[in-house]
Every structure is written in structure tokens, then in C-alpha cells.
Amino acid sequence: MTPPNPDPSLVETLRSDLTATGYGVVGVEELLGPVAADALHREEPVPALRRSAASTDPLAALVRLFLLGLAVPSEQVRRALPRLGVAGAAALGLVEESGGEVRALVDLRPYTAADGHGEVDWWIASDLGELATGRALRTDHVLGVGGASTTLAQVTVRSEVGRVLDLGTGCGIQALHASRHAQQVVATDISQRALAFTRFNAALAGVELDLRLGSMLDPVAGSELDLVVSNPPFVITPRSADVPAYEYRDGGRAGDAIVRDLVTGIGSVLAPGGVAQMLGNWEVTRGSSWDERVGQWIDESGLDGWVVQRELQDPAQYAETWIRDGGTTPDRDLDAWRTRYGAWLDDFASRDVEAIGFGIITLRRPPLGVATMRRLEEVTGTVQQPLGPAIAASLAAETWLSSSSDEVLAAAHLVVAPDVTEERYLTPGAVDPQVVLLRQGGGFGRAVQAGTALAGFVGACDGDLSAGQIVGALGALLGVPAQDVAADVLPSVRGLVRDGLLVVA
């Protein structure tokens, strides 16, 4: 299939028609209702088929055409796209008409960007998925906005910056987000088809991007960038003739080498203080831990590094996930399923891999020249998206803490973040709690166990007294020298500031 044509006048007309017809996230959800809309998000089309078939709204024709991949009578499409018409949609490469019916050649779906810069509605074109075609994906398939794309968009730091790189742009969704807070956005990919889809999507959104063809960091070698975002082809796929390699997910390297190379090499294109954020997989070999392996990458990079492992799968689970992702299932092609499953297990066994981790990687070229942050943690529970603001605040706090002595910290006035609550657990009849937890309502949802002194310190953090004054008061209250209280409390206070439970007033 040929990617859509970004003809300026036709694209403008398309945008006008889609807006007038109400083809947006809210409009589609109202048309389908919550049950059908949720089912469609799970790739279950039957409720949406029934709801859209019962509607005479022109919006229903666009849902059936672009989201469900159905043939729609030409007259219904003309009513849904009155200015563009079927001929205009065909000229853009979006549809084809035959025998009085129209079929979509691409997936075109509404998307609402909500990233701290207000909400904006876009439409994202990509290749038709399995739901529409009923068959396995092409190896040069251009993926639309999936779960990984959404995760990366939500964890990205959205500070106003100069230059941003979207490495491995795919359909261009990260680049579009970046355009809202950057002066210039460079989007790269090894796939000409992906860049063509990005060009169309940028035109439809009214956004200018600098598109460059090339692998990894080659297209921006010698640059100094303020932000790099990447949803790279991180899937660990056997290099076997029996296993297809998909451009959007397979980097063509053995094991987790592509993620390692990005982590260790990306500092070469970051400006001082520049941040890189990416998703990735990493292998956990027998007898080792995930943070040991990824920690070596961070050390080699020379950058500040913060890695959050969100999921851990065994080789069998991982194989099942990605074989299905490509459209191969046991009921569709049992022989191919077994062959590919075996190839994945053999590939992992050859490197003694017993688990595969997935997570979020945040790197920063140290603002002061020397790396001070090395955090590797596992957070598998529910988090409050978007995480971007929490990550940005933590990076800023890390910079302040790394240059602040205990004397500077003691002079600071701290306040408890508004989303923090305190939980006390007492044995029935007891006066004093056995456990005190400080719980963060937003961000990573951290729970910190606090002793008597730390709980008292946090309870007094309303901005009126300095940290040193609170320590002195606690010492007098507990009958303990102030320096002993400081030695007990201040290291934990640094952690609470770093994680956003306490904020410098």
C-alpha cells in the first residue's frame, strides 16, 4: 500500500470535513457508547459494528470505514466528507472506490493530545491493522498509536525547549507532541514509508517537522539536542529466516543490543542538561539481576540515569506476546506458531536468558558535567499518568540536591506536596502507631515508611520553619541532640524531596 499523499489543499479540506462531521475521540465515543468504545480499544469490533450499523449519523460511516475497515456505500462517504468527496479522499490515498462502495486504504483515527499544554485533537494515519485486514501484518507495517506510544507520550518531560529528536518516529505521534513545546523537531526513521505517514500526519495537524531518513543517531550526528524521545524497535526477535522481522518493532540486532547502544551512545547528541527518554526491553540472564545489566549501560553512558522496570516476563510469555503481535496465532497458522515459538525459546536459551524486562529509561547529560543520578527501581503497580511532570520535578530536585550541602538543606523551607497523605497503623488499644506511611497520591504513588522523627519532621513542613529549625525542635521534644536527629532524618528528607513528597517552598 502507498502511504497517503499530503497535498496541502486536499489535506486542509479533509481537516475541515473531519471536524464538521465530529470525527474526534469524544464524538466517536458518544456514537458508540462506553461498552462498544471500550471493546474496540481491546480490538473487539462486534459491539461497534452493531452500534454503527444502527446509526444514520454521517460520523458512523467514517467509523465503519476507517476504524472497522468495512466497505461503505459511496453516498454515505460523500455525506460524511461533503467538501472532499470520495474523489478527494482517493486522491489523498485514503480510500478506493469500486462498485458503488468505498474501502479504506489506511487506518485514520482521532487522537486527543493531553500533555500539559492543553488538549488538541489530531487524526493519525497508519497502515490498516489486523482488525481491518483479517491477516498478518506486513513486515514494513507502519503502526498507529499503540499502548507503548501512549506510555512514552505520557512520561515525556514537556519543558519548553529548543531542539527535539524523535528517533524512530513511526507514524510521527511523538514528534507531534514535541512540536507543542519545542522550537524545532527532527523526526527520523529507517523506513521511508514511516516518514511518508509522518509527513501526512504532520500536514493534517498543521505542524512542520524536519524529517530525516537514517538509522539510530546517524541522521543527527554532531547535533546538540535538548530532548530526545524514542520508542525504538526494542523487541528482542530471533534472527532466523523462519521469523519475520517487522520494521516498527525489530531493530535487526541480537538480544537487547539496540537498547544498549542507544543508552550508551545517546549522550553524544545531548546538549548539557539535555534529556533522553525511551522505552526498552532488556535481558536478564541466569544468576544476574536486571539492574546489574542495565546499570552497566548507565555507567558506560556517563549520563545521569533513571530506569524504572514496569514489567518482567519469562521467555515463553514474551514469545507469545510478540508472535501474536505480528498476527500469527495457533488457530490461524499452527505450524508457523510452533516454529516461531520454538525459535524464540532457542534464541533466549542460547544466551541463558531467563527473563525479559520492560521499562522507562530517562537519561540526562549532567548539567554540572559530572553524573550524580543513578536510579534503577522496579515499579509494577498503578501509576498516575501523565508521569512527565513528576519526572521533570524529580530531575530538577536531583539537580538542586546534588549541589546542596546539609547546611543548605537545613536552611531550606519545605512543604508537604498536596497529594501526600499519612497513614497510621495501630494495634487495638495502643496509643502510638506501629507503622506510619507517607503515601503519594500522584506520580509513581510511592509509599514511604517513616519513623517517629521523620513523621514528626514531615508533619511540621508547612513552610514556616526551616528544616534546621524543625530538626532542633524535634531534638528538644525527643530529648535527643539535634545533630543526632539531623543524621537520622536528613538523608530520608533528601529522598522525599527527590521523589516529590516534599517540595522546597
Side-chain angles (χ1 to χ4, degrees):
M1 294 290 183
T2 303
N5 163 35
D7 179 274
S9 61
L10 291 177
V11 165
E12 182 179 352
T13 304
L14 171 65
R15 186 190 308 121
S16 176
D17 278 349
L18 294 176
T19 301
T21 305
Y23 189 55
V25 171
V26 173
V28 170
E29 290 184 350
E30 289 179 348
L31 175 81
L32 297 179
V35 173
D38 287 348
L40 193 57
H41 287 313
R42 301 191 302 270
E43 297 288 307
E44 292 293 343
V46 174
L49 289 168
R50 294 163 65 94
R51 291 279 298 195
S52 61
S55 174
T56 59
D57 190 325
L59 175 59
L62 297 183
V63 170
R64 292 173 72 79
L65 181 68
F66 290 121
L67 299 187
L68 299 175
L70 300 175
V72 177
S74 300
E75 182 55 35
Q76 291 184 18
V77 177
R78 291 189 186 94
R79 283 193 284 115
L81 302 173
R83 294 181 59 205
L84 183 67
V86 174
L92 284 173
L94 302 178
V95 303
E96 61 181 0
E97 184 178 24
S98 177
E101 292 185 324
V102 178
R103 281 193 175 276
L105 297 176
V106 301
D107 182 298
L108 181 67
R109 64 184 57 221
Y111 174 85
T112 298
D115 52 20
H117 292 267
E119 289 191 357
V120 63
D121 290 326
W122 294 321
W123 298 273
I124 305 298
S126 61
D127 277 322
L128 292 168
E130 288 178 71
L131 188 147
T133 65
R135 58 181 180 270
L137 305 180
R138 300 158 45 120
T139 56
D140 62 352
H141 180 85
V142 176
L143 192 66
V145 181
S149 299
T150 302
T151 296
L152 181 59
Q154 291 176 324
V155 304
T156 299
V157 172
R158 298 294 175 193
S159 308
E160 297 288 339
V161 292
R163 299 188 69 202
V164 176
L165 167 65
D166 176 14
L167 190 158
T169 190
C171 68
I173 188 61
Q174 308 303 330
L176 293 181
H177 273 283
S179 72
R180 309 188 72 203
H181 61 100
Q183 296 174 14
Q184 179 190 15
V185 180
V186 179
T188 67
D189 209 290
I190 62 169
S191 166
Q192 285 278 20
R193 296 189 76 251
L195 291 178
F197 272 101
T198 295
R199 185 174 293 109
F200 177 84
N201 290 330
L204 190 53
V207 169
E208 291 188 10
L209 302 175
D210 179 355
L211 304 182
R212 303 183 188 181
L213 181 69
S215 176
M216 298 288 278
L217 298 170
D218 292 346
V220 292
S223 299
E224 285 202 344
L225 302 159
D226 301 300
L227 174 66
V228 177
V229 293
S230 184
N231 182 13
F234 58 73
V235 176
I236 301 169
T237 305
R239 305 267 62 84
S240 166
D242 297 324
V243 178
Y246 295 95
E247 288 181 349
Y248 73 87
R249 72 179 204 191
D250 301 317
R253 306 288 299 278
D256 51 20
I258 194 167
V259 177
R260 176 195 176 279
D261 288 351
L262 270 179
V263 170
T264 58
I266 209 161
S268 66
V269 299
L270 288 177
V275 173
Q277 293 182 278
M278 67 188 79
L279 305 180
N281 278 152
W282 40 82
E283 296 182 333
V284 182
T285 56
R286 196 172 311 280
S288 66
S289 63
W290 76 270
D291 53 330
E292 178 183 350
R293 180 177 185 80
V294 180
Q296 291 176 347
W297 301 350
I298 300 298
D299 295 340
E300 187 177 341
S301 75
L303 304 173
D304 287 332
W306 182 7
V307 184
V308 180
Q309 180 166 277
R310 295 286 290 145
E311 187 178 357
L312 193 68
Q313 290 186 317
D314 63 45
Q317 292 172 314
Y318 192 86
E320 292 164 16
T321 297
W322 294 110
I323 299 171
R324 290 183 187 277
D325 178 79
T328 300
T329 59
D331 56 333
R332 183 176 291 168
D333 191 338
L334 181 58
D335 289 340
W337 172 266
R338 288 176 172 172
T339 298
R340 293 168 188 178
Y341 206 139
W344 245 285
L345 296 181
D346 289 343
D347 184 57
F348 285 131
S350 71
R351 293 185 298 277
D352 207 20
V353 173
E354 64 178 6
I356 304 90
F358 166 81
I360 305 159
I361 302 170
T362 300
L363 305 166
R364 180 176 62 174
R365 185 172 172 185
L368 304 178
V370 178
T372 59
M373 181 175 66
R374 187 183 189 272
R375 301 186 66 178
L376 297 105
E377 57 182 330
E378 188 167 22
V379 181
T380 57
T382 301
V383 297
Q384 296 297 316
Q385 295 284 17
L387 280 174
I391 292 174
S394 189
L395 291 175
E398 180 68 40
T399 300
W400 182 78
L401 289 166
S402 66
S403 60
S404 298
S405 64
D406 280 350
E407 288 73 19
V408 172
L409 178 59
H413 291 249
L414 305 174
V415 295
V416 180
D419 65 333
V420 173
T421 56
E422 182 182 277
E423 299 175 7
R424 294 174 174 249
Y425 296 87
L426 295 85
T427 300
V431 175
D432 297 319
Q434 289 183 312
V435 177
V436 177
L437 290 181
L438 305 174
R439 190 175 296 279
Q440 186 179 46
F444 286 97
R446 301 181 188 279
V448 179
Q449 186 168 339
T452 302
L454 182 59
F457 180 94
V458 173
C461 284
D462 58 7
D464 288 342
L465 300 177
S466 70
Q469 289 172 322
I470 296 173
V471 165
L474 283 172
L477 180 66
L478 298 173
V480 177
Q483 60 266 29
D484 291 349
V485 176
D488 176 38
V489 167
L490 290 187
S492 296
V493 170
R494 285 181 175 273
L496 295 176
V497 172
R498 181 178 294 110
D499 290 334
L501 284 80
L502 290 178
V503 182
V504 179

